[in-house]
């Protein structure tokens, strides 16, 4: 069962006691502003989402990690890898994504967690490419994508909600090249 650790975070599989704090994240209109059509998600829908995440782990060998703050043990949200079924034109693809409670914004935690997830995807799961998708106007997510070394490759429409999105991409070759440059 994969678990990743960063200086400030533990990325782990989901537990029953994660449902309520994740439901609080999903009930915040500011958090959900850039997710699909912006709809909020109650505890029941959050539970179903976590169950689907766990099934993806079992079926794909990767998924979205629960993001725990090391110093407090509190749940900050999620990050990790998933198949973007909502964007059929990108398939087959693996997406890195994140969603954190507003209290954790602006601290570099999304980037810290996403770096670990991307490393996991390329180094542990042997992925050839990872994409990330952000609604046009979501500058915060695009900044995280840029910090990951991702490059914008297209703009399109999310068919699930009709909103314009930008797709960013990082290939395994780009990842290896960037990692080598950092080690020099």
């Amino acid at each position: 069962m994969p678990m990743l650790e960063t200086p400030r975070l533990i990325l782990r599989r989901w537990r029953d006691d994660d449902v309520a704090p994740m439901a609080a994240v999903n009930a915040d209109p500011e958090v959900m502003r850039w997710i699909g059509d912006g709809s909020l998600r109650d505890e029941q829908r959050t539970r179903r989402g976590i169950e689907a995440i766990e099934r993806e782990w079992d079926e794909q060998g990767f998924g979205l990690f629960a993001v725990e703050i090391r110093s407090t043990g509190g749940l900050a949200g999620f990050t990790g890898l998933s198949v973007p079924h909502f964007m059929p034109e990108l398939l087959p693809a693996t997406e890195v994504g994140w969603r954190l409670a507003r209290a954790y914004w602006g601290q570099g935690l999304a980037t810290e967690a996403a770096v670990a997830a991307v490393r996991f995807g390329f180094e542990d799961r042997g992925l050839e490419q990872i994409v990330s998708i952000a609604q046009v106007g979501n500058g915060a997510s695009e900044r995280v994508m840029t910090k990951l070394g991702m490059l914008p490759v297209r703009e399109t429409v999310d068919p699930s909600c009709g909103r314009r999105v930008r797709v960013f991409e990082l290939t395994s070759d780009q990842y290896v090249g960037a990692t080598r440059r950092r080690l020099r």
Side-chain angles (χ1 to χ4, degrees), residues 55-85:
R55 280 192 303 276
E56 189 166 44
W57 271 106
D58 294 339
E59 294 166 5
Q60 302 288 338
F62 58 77
L64 298 172
F65 291 97
V67 175
E68 180 180 310
I69 303 296
R70 288 174 71 110
S71 62
T72 66
L75 183 78
F78 69 69
T79 194
L81 305 170
S82 63
V83 176
H85 295 289

Side-chain angles (χ1 to χ4, degrees), residues 19-43 45-46 75-78 98-105 163:
V19 174
M22 193 66 218
V25 174
N26 289 337
D28 183 333
E30 281 301 304
V31 171
M32 300 305 288
R33 176 181 178 196
W34 302 108
I35 309 299
D37 66 2
S39 296
L40 305 181
R41 299 178 186 167
D42 62 13
E43 192 164 317
R45 189 166 173 202
T46 299
L75 183 78
F78 69 69
W98 47 86
R99 184 179 311 155
L100 299 180
R102 210 175 341 160
Y104 300 105
W105 291 4
R163 292 184 176 181

Side-chain angles (χ1 to χ4, degrees), residues 101-117:
R102 210 175 341 160
Y104 300 105
W105 291 4
Q107 302 172 40
L109 295 175
T111 301
E112 185 175 325
V115 164

Side-chain angles (χ1 to χ4, degrees), residues 4-181:
L4 309 177
E5 296 188 39
T6 72
R8 298 180 290 171
L9 306 170
I10 297 172
L11 282 61
R12 58 168 173 76
R13 297 282 295 265
W14 294 84
R15 302 186 302 236
D16 285 339
D17 62 349
D18 294 326
V19 174
M22 193 66 218
V25 174
N26 289 337
D28 183 333
E30 281 301 304
V31 171
M32 300 305 288
R33 176 181 178 196
W34 302 108
I35 309 299
D37 66 2
S39 296
L40 305 181
R41 299 178 186 167
D42 62 13
E43 192 164 317
Q44 183 180 17
R45 189 166 173 202
T46 299
R47 181 179 300 281
R48 286 194 312 266
I50 290 171
E51 289 168 354
I53 290 167
E54 284 297 303
R55 280 192 303 276
E56 189 166 44
W57 271 106
D58 294 339
E59 294 166 5
Q60 302 288 338
F62 58 77
L64 298 172
F65 291 97
V67 175
E68 180 180 310
I69 303 296
R70 288 174 71 110
S71 62
T72 66
L75 183 78
F78 69 69
T79 194
L81 305 170
S82 63
V83 176
H85 295 289
F86 68 97
M87 293 287 298
E89 71 183 80
L90 298 180
L91 298 178
T94 302
E95 176 188 17
V96 62
W98 47 86
R99 184 179 311 155
L100 299 180
R102 210 175 341 160
Y104 300 105
W105 291 4
Q107 302 172 40
L109 295 175
T111 301
E112 185 175 325
V115 164
V118 166
R119 181 181 308 118
F120 173 75
F122 286 129
E123 295 180 12
D124 294 339
R125 294 302 183 251
L127 298 176
E128 292 296 317
Q129 138 189 333
I130 296 175
V131 300
S132 197
I133 304 160
Q135 290 185 5
V136 172
N138 186 351
S141 281
E142 288 192 10
R143 282 188 294 280
V144 172
M145 294 171 192
T146 301
K147 290 176 185 176
L148 294 173
M150 300 185 112
L151 300 172
V153 292
R154 78 167 80 167
E155 194 169 303
T156 187
V157 174
D158 177 345
S160 72
C161 64
R163 292 184 176 181
R164 295 209 56 79
V165 295
R166 286 195 185 104
V167 180
F168 285 64
E169 176 184 270
L170 183 65
T171 66
S172 59
D173 288 343
Q174 291 166 329
Y175 171 79
V176 168
T179 302
R180 284 186 184 138
R181 282 190 299 279

